[in-house]
């Protein structure tokens, strides 16, 4: 008859399912089910097994103290380095650590140690810790403690000085798994890998780099041309590629009034152009009369190269009224190769007026090309457009026939033509980075501070703060520097820094010197804002992220209530901060979409201090005049 494994409760709540041990324990306790069993034999067997276990525990403890561990028991290198660092950073055990080569348990009592839990009588703390079990489990996070508390060497009040109800709240440990941190780090890495795999890396530097090349231009002459190529300090793609992938860029998020006013000015200039034609008709291009200077070319005023009512054989555009007025109102009906012979045979129109046809028969050598961050449209050859990394439109003849902003923004395009609506760029830049160095800085922050805060607050709370801060920082930046492309999670990360300050404020009484602890964080924050005064760093996003992180942290972060009055006061603050966050979000979107042109001209010194004329050129980017035709 087979025996079934039984579970027996031993002394002090010990539980085992091992049959032999269960039999011994049952015999010792008189709980053996079968009769005729010598209980003394089971008692002796249990005592022998227990003595062996206790002896093994003592040997293991002595080995761990002397470092004499077996291969399977030895900790890993990372664990030993971490323990050594913890021991070394404790002021009272630094000398002992250096002496023995291993961390020694500190005698300094800090908040979170088991000695603080329980009554004030000597020895009572140890008894309370035994009764409550291992309160401070590895991986748990206490209120006020964590990564930054270790870095800033925080000191806490003795638990005996706090009310019993407060002690009960402080006994609650937080051990949330960092799901959000792991996910957002993974997404950041994947996006950067995709970006570097699909886009070319810009030259590394701090100022634009002049690139020149000799090539055949639209007038069939070889010339040396050049342009300023943007550099990237972070080792990554250029600005134009980042915009195409989803960077913050206001003209892609709204129908920017100033941007489209520039386009209207370009169209007005284009209406004053004509067709510059070589005598042999081997090349012609649209330009101003002042720029048609070739001795082998002639200028045809009020004519469009390759476009006209006599060259269009589409019945839908046969109405002559369609070909009157500004060029921008003309239909896009270019001359087709199969109709060149018919056009060449034309002599006079139905009114007997001689037809000018050279601009219809010539070979169009230059077409619209959208160049640069702002999509400046210029009429150049395809070779030159490719050299300048522009978007060439081989089926168009005029800049008014193309939408350069659609080429620049990329992604999903727009729902309606020339009506930018990529509002998702308020969030998308939070997952993007300008390069490898930029990503590395973000990952270090996320792996330390963000992970630590998520263990304390949980994934949904920290995710809410993270995204609210990221969107708030992006929107403030989009309002103040709308034509400066930006990527990165800096706004979200500053929101997490704000949550550290909120944690100190709402748990004020647990710190031995709360003003000192707050001053440490504010000093660190001030240093980071000073770094933000350098070019290539968006301080506006930092400020916006910090503001929304501060407000939302008051709403969702766990905290200690020191009294009933304190609980009510904090509840009022939570409601007020929640309402204020919603109001500020609505205000930012209203200002961005409706009250355009609200750029703060005097705010430049908040974002970058211009030590030289060109020092802040990348931090104060404005709309530039078009290259022209």
């Amino acid at each position: 008859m087979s025996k079934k494994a039984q579970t027996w409760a031993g002394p002090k709540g010990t539980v085992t399912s091992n049959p032999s041990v269960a039999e011994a324990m049952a015999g010792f306790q008189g709980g053996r089910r079968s009769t005729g069993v010598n209980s003394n034999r089971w008692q002796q067997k249990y005592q022998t097994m227990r003595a062996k276990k206790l002896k093994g525990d003592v040997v293991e403890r002595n080995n761990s103290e002397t470092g004499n561990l077996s291969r399977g028991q030895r900790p890993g290198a990372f664990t030993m380095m971490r323990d050594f660092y913890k021991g070394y950073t404790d002021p009272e055990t630094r000398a002992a650590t250096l002496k023995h080569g291993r961390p020694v348990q500190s005698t300094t009592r800090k908040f979170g140690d088991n000695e603080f839990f329980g009554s004030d009588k000597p020895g009572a703390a140890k008894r309370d810790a035994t009764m409550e079990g291992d309160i401070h489990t590895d991986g748990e996070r206490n209120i006020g403690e964590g990564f930054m508390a270790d870095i800033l060497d925080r000191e806490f009040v003795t638990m005996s000085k706090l009310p019993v109800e407060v002690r009960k709240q402080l006994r609650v440990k937080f051990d949330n798994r960092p799901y959000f941190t792991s996910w957002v780090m993974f997404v950041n890495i994947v996006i950067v890998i995709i970006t570097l795999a699909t886009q070319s890396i810009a030259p590394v530097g701090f100022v634009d780099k002049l690139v020149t090349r000799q090539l055949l231009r639209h007038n069939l002459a070889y010339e040396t041309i050049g342009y300023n190529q943007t550099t990237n300090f972070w080792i990554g793609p250029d600005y134009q590629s980042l915009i195409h992938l989803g960077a913050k860029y206001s003209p892609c998020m709204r129908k920017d009034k100033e941007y489209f006013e520039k386009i209207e000015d370009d169209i007005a200039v284009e209406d004053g152009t004509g067709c510059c034609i070589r005598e042999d008709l081997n090349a012609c291009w649209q330009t101003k009369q002042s720029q048609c200077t070739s001795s082998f070319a002639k200028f045809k005023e009020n004519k469009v190269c390759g476009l006209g009512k006599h060259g269009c054989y589409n019945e839908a555009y046969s109405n002559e009224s369609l070909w009157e007025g500004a060029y921008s109102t003309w239909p896009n009906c270019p001359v087709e190769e199969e109709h060149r012979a018919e056009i060449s045979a034309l002599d006079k129109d139905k009114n007997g007026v001689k037809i000018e046809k050279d601009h219809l028969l010539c070979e169009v050598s230059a077409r619209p090309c959208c160049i640069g961050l702002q999509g400046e449209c210029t009429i150049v050859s395809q070779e030159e457009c490719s050299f300048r990394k522009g978007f060439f439109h081989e089926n168009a003849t005029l800049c008014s026939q193309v939408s350069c902003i659609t080429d620049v923004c990329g992604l999903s395009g727009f729902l309606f033509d020339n009506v930018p609506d990529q509002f998702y760029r308020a969030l998308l830049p939070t997952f993007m980075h300008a390069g490898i160095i930029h990503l590395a800085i973000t990952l270090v922050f996320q792996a330390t501070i963000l992970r630590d805060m998520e263990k304390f607050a949980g994934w949904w709370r920290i995710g809410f703060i993270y995204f609210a801060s990221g969107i708030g920082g992006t929107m403030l930046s989009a309002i103040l520097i709308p034509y400066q492309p930006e990527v990165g999670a800096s706004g979200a990360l500053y929101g997490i820094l704000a949550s550290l300050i909120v944690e100190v404020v709402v748990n004020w009484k647990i710190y031995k010197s709360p003003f000192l602890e707050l001053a440490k964080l504010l000093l660190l924050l001030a240093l980071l804002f000073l770094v933000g005064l350098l070019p290539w760093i968006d301080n506006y996003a930092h400020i916006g992220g910090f503001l929304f992180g501060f407000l939302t942290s008051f709403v969702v972060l766990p905290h200690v209530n020191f009294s009933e009055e304190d609980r009510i006061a904090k509840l009022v603050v939570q409601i007020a901060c929640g309402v204020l966050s919603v109001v500020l979000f609505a205000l930012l979107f209203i200002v961005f979409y409706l009250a355009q042109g609200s750029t703060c001209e005097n705010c430049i010194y908040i974002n970058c201090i211009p030590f030289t004329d060109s020092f802040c050129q990348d931090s104060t980017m404005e709309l530039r005049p078009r290259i022209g035709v």
Side-chain angles (χ1 to χ4, degrees):
M1 184 174 180
S2 62
K3 295 182 180 180
K4 294 183 178 180
Q6 303 289 337
T7 300
W8 299 90
K12 298 185 180 181
T14 305
V15 178
T16 180
S17 59
N18 187 296
S20 60
V21 177
E23 290 176 350
M25 294 170 65
F28 176 74
Q29 295 176 332
R32 179 70 176 173
R33 292 188 177 185
S34 61
T35 58
V37 178
N38 187 351
S39 61
N40 291 331
R41 180 167 64 87
W42 293 110
Q43 181 179 0
Q44 292 173 2
K45 186 176 181 179
Y46 174 76
Q47 291 287 9
T48 302
M49 295 176 64
R50 188 168 184 273
K52 290 181 179 180
K53 184 179 185 305
L54 292 176
K55 183 179 179 180
D57 292 343
V58 172
V59 173
E60 182 179 354
R61 183 169 62 253
N62 291 336
N63 288 340
S64 65
E65 291 177 357
T66 59
N68 185 22
L69 298 178
S70 64
R71 184 179 182 90
Q73 294 173 323
R74 292 173 186 171
F78 176 77
T79 303
M80 290 191 293
M81 292 175 62
R82 180 195 64 188
D83 293 341
F84 182 85
Y85 172 75
K86 288 184 177 179
Y88 185 78
T89 54
D90 189 283
E92 295 190 7
T93 60
R94 186 174 299 136
T97 301
L98 294 175
K99 179 179 179 181
H100 298 288
R102 58 184 174 84
V104 181
Q105 182 64 34
S106 172
T107 58
T108 303
R109 295 183 177 184
K110 291 188 177 182
F111 177 75
D113 294 339
N114 291 335
E115 291 82 351
F116 284 125
F117 296 113
S119 64
D120 303 334
K121 296 180 181 181
K126 188 177 296 184
R127 290 194 300 272
D128 292 339
T130 303
M131 293 173 61
E132 299 207 26
D134 188 7
I135 296 177
H136 189 71
T137 305
D138 186 27
E140 293 178 343
R141 210 284 205 176
N142 301 320
I143 293 179
E145 292 191 350
F147 177 79
M148 289 304 298
D150 295 337
I151 296 296
L152 300 178
D153 195 22
R154 286 180 182 168
E155 296 184 359
F156 302 86
V157 299
T158 305
M159 289 290 291
S160 59
K161 296 182 180 181
L162 297 175
V164 176
E165 292 299 325
V166 176
R167 298 184 199 176
K168 291 181 180 178
Q169 297 177 62
L170 292 174
R171 286 192 180 97
V172 178
K173 304 296 176 177
F174 301 91
D175 188 19
N176 299 289
R177 296 294 182 264
Y179 298 123
F180 176 79
T181 302
S182 302
W183 173 77
V184 76
M185 290 176 66
F186 173 77
V187 173
N188 289 342
I189 294 173
V190 169
I191 290 180
V192 168
I193 292 176
I194 294 175
T195 300
L196 296 179
T198 58
Q199 307 294 326
S200 59
I201 297 179
V204 179
F206 300 94
V207 295
D208 292 348
K209 177 183 178 181
L210 179 62
V211 181
T212 60
R213 180 185 296 178
Q214 189 179 47
L215 48 80
L216 183 65
R217 301 200 67 194
H218 53 270
N219 56 1
L220 302 186
Y222 279 95
E223 297 180 17
T224 300
I225 64 171
Y227 73 98
N228 290 324
Q229 183 179 10
T230 57
T231 58
N232 189 339
F233 168 76
W234 305 105
I235 309 180
D238 56 18
Y239 280 138
Q240 186 171 344
S241 299
L242 292 174
I243 293 176
H244 207 65
L245 293 173
K248 178 227 80 181
Y249 191 54
S250 295
C252 297
M253 303 167 65
R254 67 185 181 187
K255 188 167 184 178
D256 191 85
K257 294 179 180 179
E258 186 175 352
Y259 184 89
F260 280 90
E261 285 176 359
K262 292 284 186 180
I263 293 178
E264 293 296 329
D265 294 340
D266 296 343
I267 292 175
V269 172
E270 187 179 59
D271 288 336
T273 62
C275 185
C276 187
I277 310 171
R278 280 178 59 101
E279 295 290 346
D280 55 8
L281 303 183
N282 286 331
C284 59
W285 60 95
Q286 198 73 15
T287 185
K288 298 176 183 178
Q289 186 173 3
S290 59
Q291 296 178 355
C292 185
T293 57
S294 175
S295 57
F296 302 100
K298 56 185 178 181
F299 183 78
K300 294 292 184 178
E301 190 175 1
N302 298 327
K303 300 296 181 182
V304 177
C305 299
L307 185 67
K309 60 182 179 181
H310 298 294
C312 179
Y313 283 79
N314 191 330
E315 293 296 332
Y317 305 129
S318 59
N319 192 338
E320 293 189 5
S321 60
L322 296 175
W323 301 93
E324 298 176 356
Y327 295 157
S328 58
T329 63
W330 288 16
N332 187 10
C333 183
V335 174
E336 298 178 356
E337 188 66 29
E338 60 189 50
H339 297 298
R340 285 186 178 274
E342 299 179 41
I343 297 173
S344 179
L346 294 176
D347 185 24
K348 297 181 180 180
D349 61 12
K350 60 183 179 180
N351 297 323
V353 179
K354 185 177 179 179
I355 298 176
E356 296 187 34
K357 50 191 177 183
D358 287 350
H359 67 286
L360 299 175
L361 298 175
C362 63
E363 187 69 30
V364 179
S365 57
R367 295 185 182 275
C369 176
C370 300
I371 300 173
L373 304 181
Q374 300 172 4
E376 300 96 336
C377 183
T378 185
I379 306 295
V380 295
S381 65
Q382 186 171 3
E383 184 179 0
E384 181 176 346
C385 184
S386 177
F387 167 66
R388 302 178 69 170
K389 296 183 178 180
F391 298 92
F392 189 74
H393 294 268
E394 59 183 0
N395 295 322
T397 54
L398 298 170
C399 284
S400 57
Q401 296 172 345
V402 301
S403 176
C404 285
I405 188 62
T406 303
D407 296 330
V408 171
C409 296
L411 291 180
S412 61
F414 308 136
L415 186 60
F416 302 102
D417 293 339
N418 286 326
V419 182
D421 54 5
Q422 296 177 355
F423 57 87
Y424 48 80
R425 288 178 182 263
L427 177 62
L428 190 57
T430 306
F431 299 101
M432 300 178 60
H433 292 82
I436 298 174
I437 298 177
H438 193 193
L439 173 66
I441 295 173
T442 299
L443 292 180
V444 169
F445 186 101
Q446 292 173 340
T448 53
I449 299 177
L450 180 63
R451 180 178 181 274
D452 178 70
M453 288 301 296
E454 186 179 358
K455 289 173 61 179
F456 168 58
W459 70 268
W460 74 266
R461 290 188 180 92
I462 214 67
F464 179 76
I465 297 172
Y466 190 90
F467 286 131
S469 304
I471 295 174
T474 300
M475 293 305 299
L476 183 62
S477 173
I479 291 173
L480 296 177
I481 44 174
Y483 310 114
Q484 172 67 40
E486 294 291 346
V487 293
S490 58
L493 299 182
Y494 269 74
I496 301 300
L497 290 177
S499 68
L500 293 172
I501 295 178
V502 172
E503 186 183 13
V504 172
V505 172
V506 297
N507 303 299
W508 190 260
K509 295 182 180 180
I510 70 173
Y511 302 98
K512 186 175 181 180
S513 302
F515 284 103
L516 177 61
E517 305 303 335
L518 182 61
K520 291 177 183 177
L521 287 174
L522 293 178
L523 178 61
L524 175 63
L525 192 67
L527 293 175
L528 292 176
F529 275 120
L530 287 177
V531 174
L533 294 176
L534 296 173
W536 327 286
I537 302 176
D538 188 358
N539 240 0
Y540 297 131
H542 297 171
I543 295 172
F546 178 83
L547 174 62
F548 282 96
F550 189 80
L551 295 175
T552 54
S553 295
F554 268 111
V555 177
V556 300
L557 277 188
H559 59 269
V560 176
N561 295 319
F562 295 94
S563 63
E564 181 63 19
E565 293 78 9
D566 181 64
R567 185 188 69 82
I568 296 175
K570 288 177 179 175
L571 179 61
V572 173
V573 172
Q574 284 179 307
I575 296 174
C577 289
V579 173
L580 185 58
S581 299
V582 174
V583 171
L584 288 179
F585 262 118
L587 185 62
L588 284 179
F589 278 90
I590 290 173
V591 171
F592 178 74
Y593 282 104
L594 300 181
Q596 299 183 24
S598 57
T599 302
C600 179
E601 296 180 358
N602 297 323
C603 295
I604 176 178
Y605 300 106
I606 298 177
N607 194 41
C608 182
I609 298 179
F611 295 104
T612 64
D613 293 338
S614 60
F615 188 73
C616 296
Q617 64 178 0
D618 288 334
S619 300
T620 58
M621 192 174 292
E622 299 292 340
L623 285 179
R624 297 187 295 268
R626 294 310 205 231
I627 296 177
V629 292

